[in-house]
Amino acid sequence: MNDRPLTLMAVHAHPDDEATGTGGVLARYAEEGIRTVLVTCTDGGCGDGPGGVKPGEPGHDPEAVAAMRRQELKASCEVLKVSHLEMLGYADSGMMGWPANDAPGAFWQTPVEEGAARLAELLRYYQPDVVVTYDENGFYGHPDHIQANRITMAALEMTGMAPKVYWTTAPRSMMQRFGEVLRESGADWEEPDPAGDATMPEIGLPDEEITTWVDTTDFGGQKFDALAAHASQGENIFFLRMGKERFTELMGVETFVRVQDTTGAAVPENDLFAGLR
């Protein structure tokens, strides 16, 4: 056990999610010699097909899209120097309310216990010191993100393992600036409406509730290139319109809330492995 390397496991829903929220920490910790494990839960089959064809439109072939996105995911992992990629292979459920939510084999329809049991096998095998996934709302309400949270937390309980566990988040102080930059980059962006749907939790957290701020500025180029590896989804990845310099300026710090810990490391912290080395 003493020879086991420090290990980070990130549990994500789709190909390209690994780069958006955790590309910086995956690249940074790989550079520091930490073993990085990416678990991708779905095949991404509800993504755009060749030429930007959308799910449900003529010519959209989910199996062909999934195969293409699998290769893009592998390319992204090479850019980020991910040590191990594990793909659970569930069918992409699409956005909340899409017919794909109810399709046989969709991740959203998979019993949590089933998905958790498969993830538990990987937890036992890799014995991660740090696990990262989404919050209970999947950050922005995507069904597959929500399901990734559910199976991760259930798998941890199932195994009785007690690594440090983090949920990805964003500081509310950044959201206005984020919107400004996206509009400048030509992306459609609507400010969140506080008087809108009261059932939809607000995205991100107040700054004082964020426990962990990790500087990944030096790895902004890798993070950008990892996103760019998902070329088939370029129309949807509005971050790529910024260019590397602006992207790194906006996305150079990755933020998390620590939800499980046995180290007693003080918060706020600037290292997912604080208290472990």
Side-chain angles (χ1 to χ4, degrees), residues 28-45:
R28 170 179 163 167
Y29 290 121
E31 176 71 19
E32 293 179 8
I34 288 172
R35 181 173 62 169
T36 53
V37 180
L38 171 63
V39 180
T40 301
C41 296
T42 79
D43 59 12

Side-chain angles (χ1 to χ4, degrees), residues 5 16 20 31 36 42 90-91 108 123 128 165 179 197 205 211 221 227 229 247-248 268 271:
D16 77 31
T20 306
E31 176 71 19
T36 53
T42 79
Y90 290 108
W108 185 237
L123 287 170
V165 180
D197 185 356
L205 289 173
T211 63
L227 271 174
F247 175 85
T248 300
D271 179 10

